[in-house]
Amino acid sequence: MHERSSNVTLGYLLTLSRPRFWLYLAGPVLVGVAYGASVVGELFAPPAVALFAYFLVPANVYLYGVNDVFDADIDAENPKKTGEQAREARFRGGGTVAAVVAVCGLAGLALVGALVAVASAGAAVWVLAFLFLGYAYSAPPFRLKTVPPLDSVSNGLYVLPGAAAYVALAGRQPPALAIAGGWLWAMAMHTFSAIPDIDPDRRAGIRTTATVLGERRTLAYCGAVWLVAAGAFGLLDWRAGALLAVYPLLAAGVAETDVAVSRAYWWFPAVNGLVGMMLTLGGLWGVVRG
C-alpha cells in the first residue's frame, strides 16, 4: 500500500510539474549558457549544470506547485484540469506534496547560496528574483495573478533563469535589450495562455488581464507585446528579431481564423522549443568560432 501511494504521489508530482513546459524554464538557461560562455569548456561548467538541473524539474515543481496549492478551489472549473480532456493536474492536497513543493523552493535558496560562493552574486540575484515572483504570483498576500496587469508583467520571471546563467558564465549582466525582449515575450506568452481560462476565471470571480480585455483584445495585446519583443531582439541582432516575429504572426493568425485558442495553446511548447533551439544554436556557433 505504501509503495502504491508513493507511486501515485510521484506520478502526480510529475503531472503537477507540467512536463510539456519544462523547457520554459530550462530552455532560457541553455540560451544564457550559449551566449555567456566564451569557450566550449564553459558550457559544462558547474554553475551551468546546476542551473539547468534546478530549472528543469525542481523549479517547475515549485512554480506550479505553489500555483496549484493556492488555486485548488478555482481549478475546480478549469477545463485544463477537469474532465476527460484534462492535461494538467488539480492539487490533491496532502502534506507530502506540499512538503515536496517547499523543498523545491528551499533547493532554489541553496542554489542562490552556491552561486554566491562559486560564481557571482549577480547571478544569484536573478534566481532569488525568480523564487520571489514564483511565490508572489500565486500566493497571498501578493496574488499578482489576480491583479491585472501585474499578472502579465510578473511573468517575465521566465527569462530570469537565462539571465542567471549568462551572468554566471560571462561575469557581467546580459544586454538590457535581451532582458527587455525576453521579459516582453514571456508577458505575452503568459497572457495568451490565460485566454482559455477566461470563462472559468470569470465564474470564479478572478480578474486577470485576459478577463478584463476579453479574447479578441487579449489576442491584440499579445500580438502587440510580441511585436515589441521582436523589435527589442532585432536591435541586438536582426536574425533574432526575425525569428521572434513568428509570435505576432501566430497571434494574428489565431485571431483571424477559426482556430480555437484552447487548441493553439498546445502548439506553443513545440514552437517555443524550436525558437529556443535556434537561439541556442546561434550562441553555440559563436562559442565554437571563438
Side-chain angles (χ1 to χ4, degrees), residues 159-213:
V159 77
L160 301 181
Y166 182 93
V167 177
L169 296 186
R172 61 183 182 278
Q173 293 296 329
L177 283 171
I179 296 296
W183 199 285
L184 289 164
W185 172 86
M187 284 172 53
M189 187 68 250
H190 163 267
T191 307
F192 184 91
S193 73
I195 294 175
D197 298 337
I198 287 176
D199 288 340
D201 281 346
R202 283 174 172 170
R203 288 195 295 269
I206 300 298
R207 295 183 75 246
T208 68
T209 298
T211 64
V212 170
L213 295 178

Side-chain angles (χ1 to χ4, degrees), residues 3-16 97 100:
E3 181 179 354
R4 181 180 178 184
S5 177
S6 298
N7 290 337
V8 170
T9 300
L10 288 173
Y12 166 70
L13 285 169
L14 181 66
T15 305
L16 175 148
V97 173
V100 171

Side-chain angles (χ1 to χ4, degrees), residues 15-268:
T15 305
L16 175 148
S17 69
R18 320 288 205 271
R20 289 181 181 87
F21 305 143
W22 280 358
L23 286 180
Y24 283 14
L25 292 178
V29 173
L30 295 177
V31 175
V33 168
Y35 287 92
S38 56
V39 295
V40 173
E42 290 182 348
L43 297 174
F44 303 98
V49 174
L51 283 163
F52 181 77
Y54 179 69
F55 283 104
L56 182 63
V57 180
N60 280 290
V61 173
Y62 168 73
L63 179 65
Y64 294 117
V66 172
N67 178 80
D68 289 358
V69 167
F70 290 99
D71 276 4
D73 294 336
I74 297 170
D75 285 342
E77 302 224 19
N78 190 330
K80 296 178 189 174
K81 301 183 181 183
T82 58
E84 295 180 359
Q85 302 301 316
R87 301 195 188 190
E88 297 177 3
R90 288 181 59 196
F91 182 64
R92 298 179 180 178
T96 300
V97 173
V100 171
V101 173
V103 167
C104 288
L106 293 173
L109 291 176
L111 178 60
V112 168
L115 287 172
V116 171
V118 305
S120 73
V125 167
W126 293 112
V127 178
L128 198 60
F130 165 82
L131 294 171
F132 170 73
L133 287 176
Y135 181 86
Y137 174 73
S138 300
F142 308 101
R143 288 284 284 174
L144 299 180
K145 68 180 300 176
T146 66
V147 187
L150 294 183
D151 60 321
S152 181
V153 174
S154 64
N155 268 263
L157 64 88
Y158 284 91
V159 77
L160 301 181
Y166 182 93
V167 177
L169 296 186
R172 61 183 182 278
Q173 293 296 329
L177 283 171
I179 296 296
W183 199 285
L184 289 164
W185 172 86
M187 284 172 53
M189 187 68 250
H190 163 267
T191 307
F192 184 91
S193 73
I195 294 175
D197 298 337
I198 287 176
D199 288 340
D201 281 346
R202 283 174 172 170
R203 288 195 295 269
I206 300 298
R207 295 183 75 246
T208 68
T209 298
T211 64
V212 170
L213 295 178
E215 180 172 325
R216 293 288 296 180
R217 287 189 293 176
T218 301
L219 282 170
Y221 166 86
C222 293
V225 174
W226 271 326
L227 186 61
V228 177
F233 278 108
L235 292 174
L236 284 173
D237 188 311
W238 70 268
R239 293 165 295 186
L243 184 61
L244 269 292
V246 69
Y247 290 98
L249 292 175
L250 282 172
V254 172
E256 299 304 320
T257 64
D258 59 358
V259 175
V261 177
S262 58
R263 179 185 177 192
Y265 170 74
W266 297 104
W267 300 345
F268 277 84

